[in-house]
Structure formats: C-alpha cells, structure tokens
Amino acid sequence: DGGITQSPKYLFRKEGQNVTLSCEQNLNHDAMYWYRQDPGQGLRLIYYSQIVNDFQKGDIAEGYSVSREKKESFPLTVTSAQKNPTAFYLCASKDRGGTDTQYFGPGTRLTVL
Amino acid sequence: QKEVEQNSGPLSVPEGAIASLNCTYSDRGSQSFFWYRQYSGKSPELIMFIYSNGDKEDGRFTAQLNKASQYVSLLIRDSQPSDSATYLCAVNNSSGGSYIPTFGRGTSLIVHP
C-alpha cells in the first residue's frame, strides 16, 4: 500500500533532550512538509522540502531541524532549544504535478515530561 | 501575513440536517482551496478541493467558492453522527511555484441524533 508513515505514534521526552521524528513516504512525492498542531489550533508549518537535499523554514522553525537526504524520508529533530515542544506533529507530502493535494501521515504525539 | 479564518464552533446540528461551514481568507491571489476533516487524535483527511468560483458537489458534500468575497464554504447534507469532527479549511497561492497552504484553525462540528 502506498502512503505516509510516521513513527513513533507516541513519544515522551525529558527536558533538555533532542528527539527525532520519522516520516517516510512511498508515494514518490517530491514535496514533504512538517506541521505542528496544538489543541484547538490549525496546522502551523515548521519546515518543508520540495526536492532532495533542499529544504526551507516554515513559520515556526526555531528549535527544529530537518534533513532530506532521500526522496522518501524527511525526519524532524526537535531540539532542546524548542521551549514548548509538546504537540501533535504531522508530516505530509505532495506530488509535483496533478492536484495541489497534500497527503498526511498518522502523526506523532510528543509529550515533554 | 496570509490569514484563513474559521469560526471555531462548535457547530451543533441534528442528524439529517444541513451543516454549513465557512472560511474566509485574506490573500486575493489564492488559487486553490481545500477542506479537510480531522477526527480527534487523527490526522487530516481531504474531503474536497475547489479551484473555480461556484459550487462543486461530491456525494453529500458541496464546496462553494466566491473569490470576489474571499470566502469558501462546505455544505454537508443529511448530516450523520459520523460527520462529527473538526473541519479544516486550507488555502494556497501557488503563483510563486511553491505549494505552501495556509490552514485555518478549524470548525468543530457536532451532529447529534
């Protein structure tokens, strides 16, 4: 089955630790995105990548880092510099052509203890 | 600053009624418009997209776009309890060649039996 996978589903972090969230897609999509969602809020863009080895900051990139070494993978690292990391993190991808439709992974819920 | 506004709700309708969800946007250059449904704790799933002024129907769902007034709406006919979810509006301006949609905060819909 084609789709987007995110792991882990739940993640607990101690203050001061860096953690990496995984996002993998087998849809052969060029563009990938990371969003953060807080309760009662919409999606806020953290980083996005439109092609391998290239990525851009979104609206709330501070305290986060990404890499795009492979087309299929776009991991997100939440660093200790992110002061309030507890949130629901969503990864999405989009094909270059066709409709402007994003497909979302199931999400990772990060909790800082 | 591109903004997408939605009434947070909750919007409560009886089963079988029509639910009307509205969204306004600030960027006049916006070209594509999307409605996503998000169940609690889950990732957004695409319901409909619309590019042109007017109505677009898909089963019980109708999207309506009015670019002059800068609003897009979603009508759900014969509402069912399973339609109870948060509905996110997303708007994109792809004139720069990139796809970076702006999401609203979502409207919570409750369909009661």
Side-chain angles (χ1 to χ4, degrees), chain A residues 33 37 42 48 94 100-101 105, chain B residues 34 38 43 46 51 99-100 104:
Chain A
Y33 309 78
Q37 188 176 36
Y48 65 100
K94 186 188 103 58
D100 288 338
T101 301
Chain B
F34 304 83
Q38 186 176 26
S43 61
L46 181 71
Y51 297 151
Y99 179 76
I100 312 297

Side-chain angles (χ1 to χ4, degrees), chain A residues 6 9 33 35 37 40-45 48 50 59 88 90 94 98-107 109, chain B residues 1 8 32 34 36 38 40-46 49 51 88 92 94 97-106:
Chain A
Q6 290 185 244
K9 185 174 182 179
Y33 309 78
Y35 292 93
Q37 188 176 36
Q41 303 293 313
L43 277 60
R44 293 188 290 168
L45 183 65
Y48 65 100
Q50 301 199 80
D59 300 321
F88 188 43
L90 288 159
K94 186 188 103 58
T99 64
D100 288 338
T101 301
Q102 283 182 315
Y103 295 89
F104 285 87
R109 189 165 299 280
Chain B
Q1 182 78 6
S8 62
S32 51
F34 304 83
Y36 289 86
Q38 186 176 26
S40 180
K42 303 295 185 182
S43 61
E45 54 180 330
L46 181 71
F49 59 85
Y51 297 151
L88 300 172
N92 184 60
S94 57
S98 64
Y99 179 76
I100 312 297
T102 301
F103 284 83
R105 295 188 172 191

Side-chain angles (χ1 to χ4, degrees), chain A residues 8-82:
Chain A
K9 185 174 182 179
Y10 298 98
L11 185 59
F12 298 90
R13 187 194 95 171
K14 293 182 180 179
E15 286 191 16
Q17 284 182 334
N18 292 355
V19 292
T20 297
L21 282 58
S22 170
C23 177
E24 304 279 332
Q25 54 98 1
N26 62 4
L27 300 168
N28 200 34
H29 286 175
D30 292 299
M32 297 186 75
Y33 309 78
W34 274 106
Y35 292 93
R36 167 180 173 145
Q37 188 176 36
D38 294 283
Q41 303 293 313
L43 277 60
R44 293 188 290 168
L45 183 65
I46 304 173
Y47 269 97
Y48 65 100
S49 168
Q50 301 199 80
I51 197 169
V52 174
N53 292 322
D54 187 47
F55 49 83
Q56 283 78 40
K57 293 181 179 180
D59 300 321
I60 57 165
E62 185 176 353
Y64 300 97
S65 65
V66 293
S67 62
R68 187 82 187 278
E69 297 177 1
K70 298 186 299 181
K71 189 175 185 178
E72 305 79 30
S73 179
F74 191 40
L76 173 74
T77 296
V78 184
T79 75
S80 57
Q82 170 49 238

